[in-house]
Amino acid sequence: MKITVIGAGAIGGNLAAKLSTAGHDVQVADARGPEAVRAEVLETGARAVDLSEAAVQGRDVIVLSIPFGVAGQLADLFASVPDQTVVIDTSNYYPGMLSEPIEAVDKGQVESVYTAELLGRPVVKAWNAALAETQRTKGAPAGTPGRLAIPVAGDSEEARKAAMSLVDDTGFDPYDAGPLADSWRQQPNSPAYCTELTLDELPAALAAADRVKDAAMATASRNASPPSVPIPPSRTSSR
């Protein structure tokens, strides 16, 4: 596929490298400029481009690995993105630490539904439910016993399948998590978030998510003093 990754941080850079290694045509852009793209990412064949020059026409997939809540700054760029292009959102909402508080999300709007509204187009949620280090070091070939799984949510079945194929290419079993409105089940504080589950274990963790409980945990974390980096919830099962 022809893929553009926007964001060259820990997750975006890793995805660009892995997808390029898997044989895809990958360009990566970052608001900090091409120099922000790490050398090891470019060694895989990915190309660093300026954000203003990032090709959006003729690309099959655009992966957004940018801080949550800033997607609206790219609305003009995405206005020219063809409808058939799959847009994947990898972000998570951590108010006070990684983003400013957002009232709509605080009141219950699903994170990636909010992102889709900012962009003015549908998105798929993927790669958000695994730590950057997990994504970098724990990928494995398909069929490997104990291979970890990553949930993928989106309203278009075709877009979900495209994203799931790419998740597989990065070393993880993809799991069809249904429509975007259900992607709250893979957001921070949920049992499926950053708990390194297999394809057999992941469905139960997603089903066990509790929006009220997860929101209460998020509020407690936000009000903690001093603020700290959120600790992923403990595993819901063992293997």
Side-chain angles (χ1 to χ4, degrees):
M1 296 184 188
K2 294 180 179 179
I3 302 170
T4 294
V5 179
I6 298 179
I11 290 179
N14 174 69
L15 291 177
K18 286 200 168 189
L19 293 171
S20 181
T21 299
H24 298 286
D25 176 355
V26 179
Q27 63 175 12
V28 56
D30 193 279
R32 298 167 294 176
E35 62 276 7
V37 182
R38 302 186 306 276
E40 57 265 32
V41 175
L42 303 180
E43 289 170 358
T44 66
R47 307 181 307 283
V49 298
D50 190 88
L51 181 58
S52 63
E53 299 172 352
V56 293
Q57 297 287 341
R59 309 304 285 180
D60 300 304
V61 176
I62 298 176
V63 179
L64 280 180
S65 278
I66 59 178
F68 182 79
V70 305
Q73 298 176 19
L74 300 176
D76 289 345
L77 178 68
F78 274 81
S80 60
V81 174
D83 291 342
Q84 66 269 24
T85 301
V86 177
V87 179
I88 303 175
D89 174 32
T90 73
S91 68
N92 290 301
Y93 178 48
Y94 280 117
M97 286 175 282
L98 300 180
S99 81
E100 295 298 320
I102 297 171
E103 182 178 6
V105 182
D106 287 339
K107 289 183 175 180
Q109 186 172 26
V110 177
E111 292 176 359
S112 285
V113 172
Y114 178 79
T115 296
E117 288 186 0
L118 291 180
L119 290 177
R121 61 167 299 123
V123 303
V124 177
K125 185 84 161 186
W127 288 299
N128 74 296
L131 294 169
E133 186 65 8
T134 297
Q135 295 185 43
R136 188 180 71 84
T137 63
K138 297 190 177 182
T144 300
R147 194 188 197 208
L148 300 182
I150 286 180
V152 178
D155 294 334
S156 163
E157 181 178 358
E158 183 177 358
R160 283 201 312 275
K161 286 181 177 179
M164 290 171 68
S165 174
L166 295 179
V167 166
D168 189 28
D169 286 342
T170 60
F172 298 87
D173 281 334
Y175 177 76
D176 189 336
L180 195 64
D182 286 345
S183 63
W184 62 270
R185 295 182 180 276
Q186 64 198 66
Q187 291 177 182
N189 300 306
S190 72
Y193 182 73
C194 296
T195 45
E196 297 189 349
L197 304 176
T198 66
L199 196 59
D200 289 336
E201 299 167 327
L202 183 57
L206 290 168
D210 183 323
R211 292 194 79 173
V212 175
K213 180 179 178 181
D214 293 349
M217 291 176 64
T219 300
S221 175
R222 189 180 316 156
N223 293 336
S225 182
S228 58
V229 174
I231 299 174
S234 59
R235 290 175 56 97
T236 57
S237 59
S238 60
R239 58 178 187 270

